[in-house]
Amino acid sequence: MVSMRSLFAYFWQDEPRVLYFVFCCIVVVLLAFWLRDKVAVQLRNKIVLPALLLVVVFGNPVSAHILVTRAVETQSLRFFWLIPVSLFLAVTTVWLIGFLPRRWLKGAAALGVAAVLLVSGQQFTVLRSCWENVTPNWYKIPPVVVDLSDFILADDTYDDKRAAFVFPLNLWVRQYDSGIFLLFSWTGGENLDLRKALDTESEEPIDLTEVAELAAEDDCYYLVLPREWDYTGSLEGSGYREVYAAAGIPNPEDPDDDYGREYVIYRLEKGAADADHS
């Protein structure tokens, strides 16, 4: 039941769109049944019926739980929206306007639809926050991740770009460039102790001394940490120095948004790395 509510909570982020989608489905089914309209029959068979089947799957607590536990929740949501909802709403709206008997009525209805879209356009910011996040680039990746990764890739101190990014930045690095080797990622990695030490979701402060020791032992040449956090200890004892900082785009609606923070790159100094292997 919790999984089902979790899935549908995403869709209700845009309630008018969902309600209009349901309205269009009802109209298409009724007109396909009563008028045997060719367009209505095609829309019913190719969009409405598959969509209703998926609604049943998502509305069933058992199947919804399987989708959430056996697959990633957002992947299940993307699968649902493979149904071309936007195209369906547009086609149905134009098709319904075509039923009006006079040209001036059709023109007035089209203007009315355009006015409704313009008025409801204030919700676009809400949709971007829910579905796209703050990613104004072709990669659809938070800009702060791009900025930090570009510095590491351009830095000529080390040819081997071994790095550790805190959550949730570590989710995006490989999607941007595979040239950076992450010592741990979202689903695992070769240094799980370092991953645990850098757990930003823990209520305990991050022990920088422990982090630095674990990272240096594993030739982690770059550490990426938030500037402001609850820290103890120090990175300097193991040879890490601040070399770069980048700030994300603040989210006015969420001051604690992870992608709006300032992050610092700490690099393992060359001498410290050589001494560690001697």
Side-chain angles (χ1 to χ4, degrees), residues 4 7-8 11 21 25 29 43-61 63-64 67 76 79-81 83:
M4 180 183 66
L7 288 168
F8 277 102
F11 299 113
F21 176 73
C25 288
V29 170
L43 290 174
R44 180 197 63 189
N45 295 340
K46 295 182 178 180
I47 296 181
V48 175
L49 293 181
L52 292 177
L53 176 61
L54 288 175
V55 168
V56 171
V57 172
F58 280 104
N60 186 300
S63 56
L67 287 172
S76 302
F79 174 76
F80 181 86
W81 285 107
I83 298 295

Side-chain angles (χ1 to χ4, degrees), residues 90-142:
V91 169
T92 304
T93 301
V94 174
W95 172 62
L96 290 176
I97 291 176
F99 277 95
L100 297 176
R102 299 182 182 277
R103 178 175 294 182
W104 70 269
L105 285 175
K106 295 178 181 178
L111 291 175
V113 171
V116 170
L117 290 176
L118 290 174
V119 171
S120 61
Q122 62 181 349
Q123 296 298 319
F124 287 168
T125 55
V126 177
L127 288 177
R128 279 195 294 268
S129 175
C130 177
W131 297 107
E132 297 179 6
N133 211 312
V134 187
T135 54
N137 53 59
W138 289 2
Y139 307 100
K140 298 301 180 186
I141 291 175

